[in-house]
mmCIF file of all heavy atoms in Angstrom:
data_model
loop_
_atom_site.group_PDB
_atom_site.id
_atom_site.type_symbol
_atom_site.label_atom_id
_atom_site.label_comp_id
_atom_site.label_asym_id
_atom_site.label_seq_id
_atom_site.Cartn_x
_atom_site.Cartn_y
_atom_site.Cartn_z
ATOM 1 N N ALA A 59 -16.512 -11.831 0.364
ATOM 2 C CA ALA A 59 -15.665 -11.530 1.512
ATOM 3 C C ALA A 59 -15.081 -10.140 1.334
ATOM 4 O O ALA A 59 -15.009 -9.622 0.235
ATOM 5 C CB ALA A 59 -14.542 -12.568 1.610
ATOM 6 N N VAL A 106 -17.740 7.104 -9.204
ATOM 7 C CA VAL A 106 -18.908 6.370 -8.737
ATOM 8 C C VAL A 106 -18.675 4.868 -8.707
ATOM 9 O O VAL A 106 -19.397 4.141 -8.027
ATOM 10 C CB VAL A 106 -20.140 6.695 -9.597
ATOM 11 C CG1 VAL A 106 -20.506 8.167 -9.476
ATOM 12 C CG2 VAL A 106 -19.904 6.337 -11.064
ATOM 13 N N THR A 145 -3.750 -12.569 -11.871
ATOM 14 C CA THR A 145 -3.486 -13.062 -13.225
ATOM 15 C C THR A 145 -3.283 -11.942 -14.237
ATOM 16 O O THR A 145 -2.838 -12.206 -15.353
ATOM 17 C CB THR A 145 -4.655 -13.940 -13.695
ATOM 18 O OG1 THR A 145 -5.840 -13.138 -13.794
ATOM 19 C CG2 THR A 145 -4.903 -15.075 -12.722
ATOM 20 N N TYR A 177 -13.125 -3.320 -23.307
ATOM 21 C CA TYR A 177 -13.948 -2.514 -24.213
ATOM 22 C C TYR A 177 -15.329 -3.133 -24.450
ATOM 23 O O TYR A 177 -15.706 -3.480 -25.566
ATOM 24 C CB TYR A 177 -13.212 -2.347 -25.549
ATOM 25 C CG TYR A 177 -13.496 -1.042 -26.245
ATOM 26 C CD1 TYR A 177 -12.866 0.124 -25.849
ATOM 27 C CD2 TYR A 177 -14.384 -0.969 -27.302
ATOM 28 C CE1 TYR A 177 -13.112 1.329 -26.486
ATOM 29 C CE2 TYR A 177 -14.646 0.231 -27.944
ATOM 30 C CZ TYR A 177 -14.004 1.375 -27.535
ATOM 31 O OH TYR A 177 -14.251 2.563 -28.172
ATOM 32 N N LEU A 312 -34.062 10.355 -18.079
ATOM 33 C CA LEU A 312 -34.970 11.462 -17.809
ATOM 34 C C LEU A 312 -35.367 12.213 -19.077
ATOM 35 O O LEU A 312 -36.275 13.031 -19.056
ATOM 36 C CB LEU A 312 -34.325 12.436 -16.816
ATOM 37 C CG LEU A 312 -34.022 11.865 -15.425
ATOM 38 C CD1 LEU A 312 -33.378 12.917 -14.537
ATOM 39 C CD2 LEU A 312 -35.285 11.328 -14.769
ATOM 40 N N ALA A 353 36.262 4.254 3.668
ATOM 41 C CA ALA A 353 37.644 4.476 3.232
ATOM 42 C C ALA A 353 38.292 5.603 4.030
ATOM 43 O O ALA A 353 39.470 5.532 4.392
ATOM 44 C CB ALA A 353 37.662 4.806 1.737
#
Side-chain angles (χ1 to χ4, degrees):
V106 297
T145 64
Y177 212 79
L312 297 180

